[in-house]
PDB file of all heavy atoms in Angstrom:
ATOM      1  N   ILE A 468     -29.426  24.404  -4.152  1.00  0.00           N
ATOM      2  CA  ILE A 468     -27.967  24.278  -4.160  1.00  0.00           C
ATOM      3  C   ILE A 468     -27.324  25.598  -4.594  1.00  0.00           C
ATOM      4  O   ILE A 468     -26.212  25.930  -4.185  1.00  0.00           O
ATOM      5  CB  ILE A 468     -27.534  23.142  -5.118  1.00  0.00           C
ATOM      6  CG1 ILE A 468     -28.143  21.805  -4.686  1.00  0.00           C
ATOM      7  CG2 ILE A 468     -26.020  23.030  -5.185  1.00  0.00           C
ATOM      8  CD1 ILE A 468     -27.785  21.354  -3.305  1.00  0.00           C
ATOM      9  N   LEU A 469     -28.037  26.366  -5.409  1.00  0.00           N
ATOM     10  CA  LEU A 469     -27.483  27.609  -5.955  1.00  0.00           C
ATOM     11  C   LEU A 469     -27.640  28.801  -5.020  1.00  0.00           C
ATOM     12  O   LEU A 469     -26.811  29.705  -5.035  1.00  0.00           O
ATOM     13  CB  LEU A 469     -28.158  27.944  -7.297  1.00  0.00           C
ATOM     14  CG  LEU A 469     -27.799  27.044  -8.484  1.00  0.00           C
ATOM     15  CD1 LEU A 469     -28.675  27.395  -9.677  1.00  0.00           C
ATOM     16  CD2 LEU A 469     -26.332  27.196  -8.854  1.00  0.00           C
ATOM     17  N   VAL A 470     -28.712  28.826  -4.231  1.00  0.00           N
ATOM     18  CA  VAL A 470     -28.970  30.008  -3.417  1.00  0.00           C
ATOM     19  C   VAL A 470     -28.102  29.994  -2.166  1.00  0.00           C
ATOM     20  O   VAL A 470     -27.717  28.936  -1.661  1.00  0.00           O
ATOM     21  CB  VAL A 470     -30.457  30.102  -2.996  1.00  0.00           C
ATOM     22  CG1 VAL A 470     -31.335  30.194  -4.216  1.00  0.00           C
ATOM     23  CG2 VAL A 470     -30.864  28.907  -2.129  1.00  0.00           C
ATOM     24  N   ALA A 471     -27.786  31.191  -1.706  1.00  0.00           N
ATOM     25  CA  ALA A 471     -27.030  31.309  -0.452  1.00  0.00           C
ATOM     26  C   ALA A 471     -27.993  31.015   0.691  1.00  0.00           C
ATOM     27  O   ALA A 471     -28.959  31.735   0.903  1.00  0.00           O
ATOM     28  CB  ALA A 471     -26.454  32.710  -0.323  1.00  0.00           C
ATOM     29  N   ASN A 472     -27.756  29.928   1.426  1.00  0.00           N
ATOM     30  CA  ASN A 472     -28.630  29.608   2.546  1.00  0.00           C
ATOM     31  C   ASN A 472     -27.807  29.369   3.802  1.00  0.00           C
ATOM     32  O   ASN A 472     -26.591  29.568   3.808  1.00  0.00           O
ATOM     33  CB  ASN A 472     -29.511  28.389   2.225  1.00  0.00           C
ATOM     34  CG  ASN A 472     -28.687  27.179   1.820  1.00  0.00           C
ATOM     35  OD1 ASN A 472     -27.645  26.911   2.414  1.00  0.00           O
ATOM     36  ND2 ASN A 472     -29.142  26.448   0.817  1.00  0.00           N
ATOM     37  N   GLN A 473     -28.475  28.952   4.857  1.00  0.00           N
ATOM     38  CA  GLN A 473     -27.801  28.828   6.147  1.00  0.00           C
ATOM     39  C   GLN A 473     -26.950  27.572   6.260  1.00  0.00           C
ATOM     40  O   GLN A 473     -26.288  27.361   7.257  1.00  0.00           O
ATOM     41  CB  GLN A 473     -28.837  28.863   7.281  1.00  0.00           C
ATOM     42  CG  GLN A 473     -29.950  27.849   7.165  1.00  0.00           C
ATOM     43  CD  GLN A 473     -31.073  28.323   6.263  1.00  0.00           C
ATOM     44  OE1 GLN A 473     -31.122  27.940   5.104  1.00  0.00           O
ATOM     45  NE2 GLN A 473     -31.958  29.135   6.775  1.00  0.00           N
ATOM     46  N   PHE A 474     -26.961  26.738   5.231  1.00  0.00           N
ATOM     47  CA  PHE A 474     -26.212  25.488   5.286  1.00  0.00           C
ATOM     48  C   PHE A 474     -24.923  25.572   4.458  1.00  0.00           C
ATOM     49  O   PHE A 474     -24.860  26.281   3.449  1.00  0.00           O
ATOM     50  CB  PHE A 474     -27.080  24.335   4.791  1.00  0.00           C
ATOM     51  CG  PHE A 474     -28.306  24.120   5.615  1.00  0.00           C
ATOM     52  CD1 PHE A 474     -29.570  24.331   5.080  1.00  0.00           C
ATOM     53  CD2 PHE A 474     -28.208  23.737   6.941  1.00  0.00           C
ATOM     54  CE1 PHE A 474     -30.710  24.148   5.846  1.00  0.00           C
ATOM     55  CE2 PHE A 474     -29.339  23.549   7.721  1.00  0.00           C
ATOM     56  CZ  PHE A 474     -30.593  23.756   7.172  1.00  0.00           C
ATOM     57  N   SER A 475     -23.943  24.806   4.880  1.00  0.00           N
ATOM     58  CA  SER A 475     -22.659  24.806   4.187  1.00  0.00           C
ATOM     59  C   SER A 475     -22.772  24.065   2.854  1.00  0.00           C
ATOM     60  O   SER A 475     -23.687  23.268   2.641  1.00  0.00           O
ATOM     61  CB  SER A 475     -21.600  24.114   5.057  1.00  0.00           C
ATOM     62  OG  SER A 475     -21.902  22.729   5.191  1.00  0.00           O
ATOM     63  N   SER A 476     -21.816  24.334   1.963  1.00  0.00           N
ATOM     64  CA  SER A 476     -21.808  23.647   0.669  1.00  0.00           C
ATOM     65  C   SER A 476     -21.590  22.153   0.857  1.00  0.00           C
ATOM     66  O   SER A 476     -22.097  21.346   0.074  1.00  0.00           O
ATOM     67  CB  SER A 476     -20.722  24.235  -0.238  1.00  0.00           C
ATOM     68  OG  SER A 476     -19.444  24.114   0.362  1.00  0.00           O
ATOM     69  N   SER A 477     -20.850  21.776   1.887  1.00  0.00           N
ATOM     70  CA  SER A 477     -20.603  20.349   2.126  1.00  0.00           C
ATOM     71  C   SER A 477     -21.903  19.626   2.463  1.00  0.00           C
ATOM     72  O   SER A 477     -22.134  18.493   2.015  1.00  0.00           O
ATOM     73  CB  SER A 477     -19.567  20.146   3.240  1.00  0.00           C
ATOM     74  OG  SER A 477     -20.019  20.746   4.452  1.00  0.00           O
ATOM     75  N   PHE A 478     -22.771  20.269   3.233  1.00  0.00           N
ATOM     76  CA  PHE A 478     -24.055  19.652   3.565  1.00  0.00           C
ATOM     77  C   PHE A 478     -24.973  19.640   2.346  1.00  0.00           C
ATOM     78  O   PHE A 478     -25.660  18.651   2.080  1.00  0.00           O
ATOM     79  CB  PHE A 478     -24.723  20.391   4.725  1.00  0.00           C
ATOM     80  CG  PHE A 478     -26.070  19.821   5.101  1.00  0.00           C
ATOM     81  CD1 PHE A 478     -26.169  18.541   5.621  1.00  0.00           C
ATOM     82  CD2 PHE A 478     -27.233  20.556   4.927  1.00  0.00           C
ATOM     83  CE1 PHE A 478     -27.401  17.995   5.970  1.00  0.00           C
ATOM     84  CE2 PHE A 478     -28.466  20.029   5.257  1.00  0.00           C
ATOM     85  CZ  PHE A 478     -28.560  18.747   5.781  1.00  0.00           C
ATOM     86  N   SER A 479     -24.995  20.747   1.596  1.00  0.00           N
ATOM     87  CA  SER A 479     -25.815  20.790   0.379  1.00  0.00           C
ATOM     88  C   SER A 479     -25.400  19.707  -0.592  1.00  0.00           C
ATOM     89  O   SER A 479     -26.237  19.048  -1.215  1.00  0.00           O
ATOM     90  CB  SER A 479     -25.710  22.167  -0.275  1.00  0.00           C
ATOM     91  OG  SER A 479     -26.246  23.174   0.564  1.00  0.00           O
ATOM     92  N   ASN A 480     -24.092  19.496  -0.739  1.00  0.00           N
ATOM     93  CA  ASN A 480     -23.597  18.457  -1.647  1.00  0.00           C
ATOM     94  C   ASN A 480     -23.947  17.067  -1.154  1.00  0.00           C
ATOM     95  O   ASN A 480     -24.234  16.169  -1.950  1.00  0.00           O
ATOM     96  CB  ASN A 480     -22.080  18.581  -1.818  1.00  0.00           C
ATOM     97  CG  ASN A 480     -21.691  19.775  -2.671  1.00  0.00           C
ATOM     98  OD1 ASN A 480     -22.462  20.214  -3.524  1.00  0.00           O
ATOM     99  ND2 ASN A 480     -20.515  20.313  -2.438  1.00  0.00           N
ATOM    100  N   PHE A 481     -23.939  16.881   0.176  1.00  0.00           N
ATOM    101  CA  PHE A 481     -24.346  15.594   0.715  1.00  0.00           C
ATOM    102  C   PHE A 481     -25.809  15.336   0.367  1.00  0.00           C
ATOM    103  O   PHE A 481     -26.176  14.228  -0.042  1.00  0.00           O
ATOM    104  CB  PHE A 481     -24.152  15.552   2.230  1.00  0.00           C
ATOM    105  CG  PHE A 481     -24.495  14.215   2.839  1.00  0.00           C
ATOM    106  CD1 PHE A 481     -23.516  13.265   3.054  1.00  0.00           C
ATOM    107  CD2 PHE A 481     -25.804  13.891   3.169  1.00  0.00           C
ATOM    108  CE1 PHE A 481     -23.827  12.017   3.585  1.00  0.00           C
ATOM    109  CE2 PHE A 481     -26.133  12.660   3.699  1.00  0.00           C
ATOM    110  CZ  PHE A 481     -25.136  11.723   3.909  1.00  0.00           C
ATOM    111  N   CYS A 482     -26.653  16.351   0.531  1.00  0.00           N
ATOM    112  CA  CYS A 482     -28.072  16.214   0.198  1.00  0.00           C
ATOM    113  C   CYS A 482     -28.255  15.886  -1.277  1.00  0.00           C
ATOM    114  O   CYS A 482     -29.081  15.047  -1.650  1.00  0.00           O
ATOM    115  CB  CYS A 482     -28.819  17.498   0.548  1.00  0.00           C
ATOM    116  SG  CYS A 482     -28.910  17.856   2.317  1.00  0.00           S
TER     117      CYS A 482
END
Side-chain angles (χ1 to χ4, degrees):
I468 300 301
L469 289 173
V470 299
N472 55 41
Q473 54 277 99
F474 299 114
S475 67
S476 59
S477 59
F478 179 65
S479 296
N480 287 333
F481 183 94
C482 293

